[in-house]
Amino acid sequence: MAWSEAGRRNLERVASGVAILNPLVGEIAEALLDLGGAAHRDLVVAYIAKRRGVYRPSEAMRRELDEAFAAYCLGASDPRAANLLHLPYGPHSQRWALTDHAYGMMRDRANAGIR
């Protein structure tokens, strides 16, 4: 899948200060919330595939989600970015996680019935 310039940007700011996420990053964040805030990359991909109605994720799907996560994390090093995702065990880790701030914010939204 070729990435457009818009697809490469992980966050887009709007006037209200709310960040609009790349839809794939949004799916990853929602999956991580459902999985307790952190999980192995393969579990996250399998969870998203199941939510999409796919029994076994394709290599293209894995790559697409991995690229979205990596692109987000590169941009998240910007101190002005609203950091939601990170690699808790360092750059070579395969464990994906929500930041503490993101987990609390998303959990509160989910409890209020907002997704």
mmCIF file of all heavy atoms in Angstrom, residues 16-21 26 29-30 33-34 84 98 100-115:
data_model
loop_
_atom_site.group_PDB
_atom_site.id
_atom_site.type_symbol
_atom_site.label_atom_id
_atom_site.label_comp_id
_atom_site.label_asym_id
_atom_site.label_seq_id
_atom_site.Cartn_x
_atom_site.Cartn_y
_atom_site.Cartn_z
ATOM 1 N N SER A 16 -9.913 23.494 17.525
ATOM 2 C CA SER A 16 -10.295 23.260 18.917
ATOM 3 C C SER A 16 -9.173 22.649 19.748
ATOM 4 O O SER A 16 -9.308 22.504 20.951
ATOM 5 C CB SER A 16 -11.511 22.335 18.968
ATOM 6 O OG SER A 16 -11.164 21.053 18.495
ATOM 7 N N GLY A 17 -8.056 22.290 19.111
ATOM 8 C CA GLY A 17 -6.948 21.686 19.829
ATOM 9 C C GLY A 17 -7.058 20.184 19.953
ATOM 10 O O GLY A 17 -6.209 19.535 20.531
ATOM 11 N N VAL A 18 -8.092 19.590 19.377
ATOM 12 C CA VAL A 18 -8.270 18.142 19.408
ATOM 13 C C VAL A 18 -7.479 17.540 18.261
ATOM 14 O O VAL A 18 -7.489 18.067 17.154
ATOM 15 C CB VAL A 18 -9.763 17.776 19.271
ATOM 16 C CG1 VAL A 18 -9.951 16.281 19.174
ATOM 17 C CG2 VAL A 18 -10.542 18.349 20.433
ATOM 18 N N ALA A 19 -6.788 16.468 18.509
ATOM 19 C CA ALA A 19 -6.005 15.808 17.470
ATOM 20 C C ALA A 19 -6.873 14.787 16.745
ATOM 21 O O ALA A 19 -7.580 14.013 17.383
ATOM 22 C CB ALA A 19 -4.796 15.115 18.071
ATOM 23 N N ILE A 20 -6.833 14.810 15.428
ATOM 24 C CA ILE A 20 -7.518 13.797 14.626
ATOM 25 C C ILE A 20 -6.458 12.797 14.199
ATOM 26 O O ILE A 20 -5.491 13.143 13.539
ATOM 27 C CB ILE A 20 -8.194 14.420 13.391
ATOM 28 C CG1 ILE A 20 -9.239 15.428 13.836
ATOM 29 C CG2 ILE A 20 -8.802 13.330 12.517
ATOM 30 C CD1 ILE A 20 -9.852 16.211 12.715
ATOM 31 N N LEU A 21 -6.631 11.566 14.590
ATOM 32 C CA LEU A 21 -5.631 10.537 14.321
ATOM 33 C C LEU A 21 -5.801 9.902 12.963
ATOM 34 O O LEU A 21 -6.898 9.830 12.431
ATOM 35 C CB LEU A 21 -5.754 9.422 15.364
ATOM 36 C CG LEU A 21 -5.500 9.796 16.801
ATOM 37 C CD1 LEU A 21 -5.815 8.616 17.699
ATOM 38 C CD2 LEU A 21 -4.080 10.240 16.986
ATOM 39 N N GLY A 26 -5.913 5.178 15.258
ATOM 40 C CA GLY A 26 -7.102 5.112 16.096
ATOM 41 C C GLY A 26 -7.514 3.682 16.383
ATOM 42 O O GLY A 26 -7.863 3.341 17.516
ATOM 43 N N ALA A 29 -5.040 2.263 18.891
ATOM 44 C CA ALA A 29 -5.288 2.793 20.239
ATOM 45 C C ALA A 29 -6.516 2.139 20.870
ATOM 46 O O ALA A 29 -6.493 1.764 22.049
ATOM 47 C CB ALA A 29 -5.457 4.317 20.176
ATOM 48 N N GLU A 30 -7.592 1.980 20.097
ATOM 49 C CA GLU A 30 -8.794 1.333 20.629
ATOM 50 C C GLU A 30 -8.516 -0.128 20.998
ATOM 51 O O GLU A 30 -8.988 -0.617 22.023
ATOM 52 C CB GLU A 30 -9.930 1.418 19.625
ATOM 53 C CG GLU A 30 -10.521 2.810 19.528
ATOM 54 C CD GLU A 30 -11.674 2.896 18.535
ATOM 55 O OE1 GLU A 30 -12.154 1.838 18.066
ATOM 56 O OE2 GLU A 30 -12.085 4.021 18.244
ATOM 57 N N LEU A 33 -6.588 -0.208 24.211
ATOM 58 C CA LEU A 33 -7.473 0.073 25.344
ATOM 59 C C LEU A 33 -8.234 -1.194 25.728
ATOM 60 O O LEU A 33 -8.288 -1.564 26.905
ATOM 61 C CB LEU A 33 -8.457 1.194 25.002
ATOM 62 C CG LEU A 33 -9.467 1.540 26.094
ATOM 63 C CD1 LEU A 33 -8.762 2.116 27.315
ATOM 64 C CD2 LEU A 33 -10.504 2.506 25.564
ATOM 65 N N ASP A 34 -8.800 -1.876 24.731
ATOM 66 C CA ASP A 34 -9.553 -3.108 24.997
ATOM 67 C C ASP A 34 -8.664 -4.217 25.565
ATOM 68 O O ASP A 34 -9.139 -5.081 26.303
ATOM 69 C CB ASP A 34 -10.238 -3.610 23.726
ATOM 70 C CG ASP A 34 -11.372 -2.696 23.269
ATOM 71 O OD1 ASP A 34 -11.799 -1.824 24.048
ATOM 72 O OD2 ASP A 34 -11.816 -2.855 22.116
ATOM 73 N N LEU A 84 0.175 9.386 22.299
ATOM 74 C CA LEU A 84 -0.791 8.373 22.700
ATOM 75 C C LEU A 84 -0.160 7.002 22.794
ATOM 76 O O LEU A 84 -0.505 6.213 23.655
ATOM 77 C CB LEU A 84 -1.948 8.319 21.688
ATOM 78 C CG LEU A 84 -2.780 9.580 21.527
ATOM 79 C CD1 LEU A 84 -3.829 9.367 20.436
ATOM 80 C CD2 LEU A 84 -3.451 9.939 22.831
ATOM 81 N N LEU A 98 -0.323 2.130 25.109
ATOM 82 C CA LEU A 98 -0.829 3.487 25.248
ATOM 83 C C LEU A 98 0.007 4.174 26.316
ATOM 84 O O LEU A 98 0.451 3.525 27.272
ATOM 85 C CB LEU A 98 -2.288 3.471 25.719
ATOM 86 C CG LEU A 98 -3.326 2.917 24.762
ATOM 87 C CD1 LEU A 98 -4.653 2.708 25.485
ATOM 88 C CD2 LEU A 98 -3.507 3.835 23.571
ATOM 89 N N ASP A 100 0.365 6.508 29.627
ATOM 90 C CA ASP A 100 -0.523 6.592 30.790
ATOM 91 C C ASP A 100 -1.601 7.645 30.574
ATOM 92 O O ASP A 100 -2.770 7.430 30.901
ATOM 93 C CB ASP A 100 0.270 6.918 32.060
ATOM 94 C CG ASP A 100 1.151 5.763 32.506
ATOM 95 O OD1 ASP A 100 0.908 4.618 32.068
ATOM 96 O OD2 ASP A 100 2.088 6.016 33.286
ATOM 97 N N HIS A 101 -1.199 8.776 30.007
ATOM 98 C CA HIS A 101 -2.159 9.858 29.740
ATOM 99 C C HIS A 101 -3.246 9.386 28.776
ATOM 100 O O HIS A 101 -4.432 9.603 29.007
ATOM 101 C CB HIS A 101 -1.430 11.078 29.174
ATOM 102 C CG HIS A 101 -2.347 12.148 28.680
ATOM 103 N ND1 HIS A 101 -3.027 12.979 29.537
ATOM 104 C CD2 HIS A 101 -2.720 12.501 27.430
ATOM 105 C CE1 HIS A 101 -3.770 13.809 28.828
ATOM 106 N NE2 HIS A 101 -3.603 13.542 27.548
ATOM 107 N N ALA A 102 -2.838 8.734 27.695
ATOM 108 C CA ALA A 102 -3.802 8.263 26.692
ATOM 109 C C ALA A 102 -4.725 7.200 27.281
ATOM 110 O O ALA A 102 -5.929 7.211 27.028
ATOM 111 C CB ALA A 102 -3.073 7.702 25.478
ATOM 112 N N TYR A 103 -4.164 6.283 28.068
ATOM 113 C CA TYR A 103 -4.987 5.231 28.663
ATOM 114 C C TYR A 103 -6.072 5.840 29.550
ATOM 115 O O TYR A 103 -7.245 5.480 29.453
ATOM 116 C CB TYR A 103 -4.124 4.250 29.453
ATOM 117 C CG TYR A 103 -4.912 3.114 30.036
ATOM 118 C CD1 TYR A 103 -5.382 2.096 29.212
ATOM 119 C CD2 TYR A 103 -5.210 3.052 31.387
ATOM 120 C CE1 TYR A 103 -6.124 1.040 29.728
ATOM 121 C CE2 TYR A 103 -5.947 2.003 31.915
ATOM 122 C CZ TYR A 103 -6.404 1.006 31.080
ATOM 123 O OH TYR A 103 -7.145 -0.032 31.594
ATOM 124 N N GLY A 104 -5.681 6.784 30.395
ATOM 125 C CA GLY A 104 -6.658 7.422 31.272
ATOM 126 C C GLY A 104 -7.710 8.193 30.497
ATOM 127 O O GLY A 104 -8.908 8.096 30.783
ATOM 128 N N MET A 105 -7.273 8.945 29.482
ATOM 129 C CA MET A 105 -8.201 9.728 28.680
ATOM 130 C C MET A 105 -9.172 8.825 27.922
ATOM 131 O O MET A 105 -10.376 9.054 27.927
ATOM 132 C CB MET A 105 -7.412 10.581 27.685
ATOM 133 C CG MET A 105 -8.257 11.418 26.759
ATOM 134 S SD MET A 105 -7.270 12.326 25.549
ATOM 135 C CE MET A 105 -6.548 10.989 24.622
ATOM 136 N N MET A 106 -8.659 7.774 27.295
ATOM 137 C CA MET A 106 -9.509 6.877 26.508
ATOM 138 C C MET A 106 -10.436 6.061 27.401
ATOM 139 O O MET A 106 -11.584 5.817 27.056
ATOM 140 C CB MET A 106 -8.659 5.964 25.628
ATOM 141 C CG MET A 106 -7.972 6.719 24.504
ATOM 142 S SD MET A 106 -7.037 5.622 23.436
ATOM 143 C CE MET A 106 -8.381 4.728 22.640
ATOM 144 N N ARG A 107 -9.947 5.643 28.556
ATOM 145 C CA ARG A 107 -10.786 4.889 29.489
ATOM 146 C C ARG A 107 -11.947 5.754 29.973
ATOM 147 O O ARG A 107 -13.087 5.302 30.022
ATOM 148 C CB ARG A 107 -9.954 4.389 30.666
ATOM 149 C CG ARG A 107 -10.728 3.447 31.581
ATOM 150 C CD ARG A 107 -9.952 3.090 32.821
ATOM 151 N NE ARG A 107 -9.669 4.316 33.552
ATOM 152 C CZ ARG A 107 -8.484 4.654 34.034
ATOM 153 N NH1 ARG A 107 -7.451 3.877 33.881
ATOM 154 N NH2 ARG A 107 -8.313 5.783 34.672
ATOM 155 N N ASP A 108 -11.647 7.016 30.289
ATOM 156 C CA ASP A 108 -12.706 7.931 30.727
ATOM 157 C C ASP A 108 -13.729 8.140 29.623
ATOM 158 O O ASP A 108 -14.936 8.164 29.886
ATOM 159 C CB ASP A 108 -12.115 9.276 31.158
ATOM 160 C CG ASP A 108 -11.309 9.172 32.433
ATOM 161 O OD1 ASP A 108 -11.409 8.141 33.143
ATOM 162 O OD2 ASP A 108 -10.545 10.134 32.724
ATOM 163 N N ARG A 109 -13.270 8.285 28.385
ATOM 164 C CA ARG A 109 -14.186 8.458 27.251
ATOM 165 C C ARG A 109 -15.032 7.206 27.047
ATOM 166 O O ARG A 109 -16.215 7.291 26.786
ATOM 167 C CB ARG A 109 -13.412 8.790 25.983
ATOM 168 C CG ARG A 109 -12.846 10.181 25.962
ATOM 169 C CD ARG A 109 -12.033 10.434 24.698
ATOM 170 N NE ARG A 109 -12.775 10.186 23.482
ATOM 171 C CZ ARG A 109 -13.399 11.102 22.766
ATOM 172 N NH1 ARG A 109 -13.332 12.366 23.142
ATOM 173 N NH2 ARG A 109 -14.051 10.795 21.678
ATOM 174 N N ALA A 110 -14.409 6.041 27.154
ATOM 175 C CA ALA A 110 -15.143 4.776 26.975
ATOM 176 C C ALA A 110 -16.188 4.605 28.078
ATOM 177 O O ALA A 110 -17.309 4.172 27.814
ATOM 178 C CB ALA A 110 -14.173 3.601 26.966
ATOM 179 N N ASN A 111 -15.824 4.959 29.295
ATOM 180 C CA ASN A 111 -16.775 4.863 30.407
ATOM 181 C C ASN A 111 -17.951 5.819 30.234
ATOM 182 O O ASN A 111 -19.043 5.558 30.710
ATOM 183 C CB ASN A 111 -16.082 5.105 31.739
ATOM 184 C CG ASN A 111 -15.162 3.976 32.135
ATOM 185 O OD1 ASN A 111 -15.298 2.848 31.649
ATOM 186 N ND2 ASN A 111 -14.215 4.254 33.001
ATOM 187 N N ALA A 112 -17.691 6.935 29.544
ATOM 188 C CA ALA A 112 -18.759 7.903 29.285
ATOM 189 C C ALA A 112 -19.564 7.532 28.032
ATOM 190 O O ALA A 112 -20.506 8.234 27.682
ATOM 191 C CB ALA A 112 -18.156 9.302 29.133
ATOM 192 N N GLY A 113 -19.161 6.450 27.386
ATOM 193 C CA GLY A 113 -19.889 5.994 26.181
ATOM 194 C C GLY A 113 -19.460 6.687 24.904
ATOM 195 O O GLY A 113 -20.147 6.615 23.909
ATOM 196 N N ILE A 114 -18.296 7.352 24.934
ATOM 197 C CA ILE A 114 -17.784 8.058 23.752
ATOM 198 C C ILE A 114 -16.639 7.247 23.170
ATOM 199 O O ILE A 114 -15.734 6.869 23.879
ATOM 200 C CB ILE A 114 -17.265 9.461 24.131
ATOM 201 C CG1 ILE A 114 -18.340 10.259 24.845
ATOM 202 C CG2 ILE A 114 -16.759 10.200 22.907
ATOM 203 C CD1 ILE A 114 -17.840 11.517 25.497
ATOM 204 N N ARG A 115 -16.666 6.999 21.857
ATOM 205 C CA ARG A 115 -15.547 6.300 21.202
ATOM 206 C C ARG A 115 -15.023 7.128 20.089
ATOM 207 O O ARG A 115 -15.612 7.853 19.431
ATOM 208 C CB ARG A 115 -15.981 4.946 20.651
ATOM 209 C CG ARG A 115 -15.948 3.865 21.674
ATOM 210 C CD ARG A 115 -14.617 3.218 21.731
ATOM 211 N NE ARG A 115 -14.672 2.149 22.708
ATOM 212 C CZ ARG A 115 -13.739 1.276 22.837
ATOM 213 N NH1 ARG A 115 -12.697 1.284 22.098
ATOM 214 N NH2 ARG A 115 -13.831 0.351 23.752
#
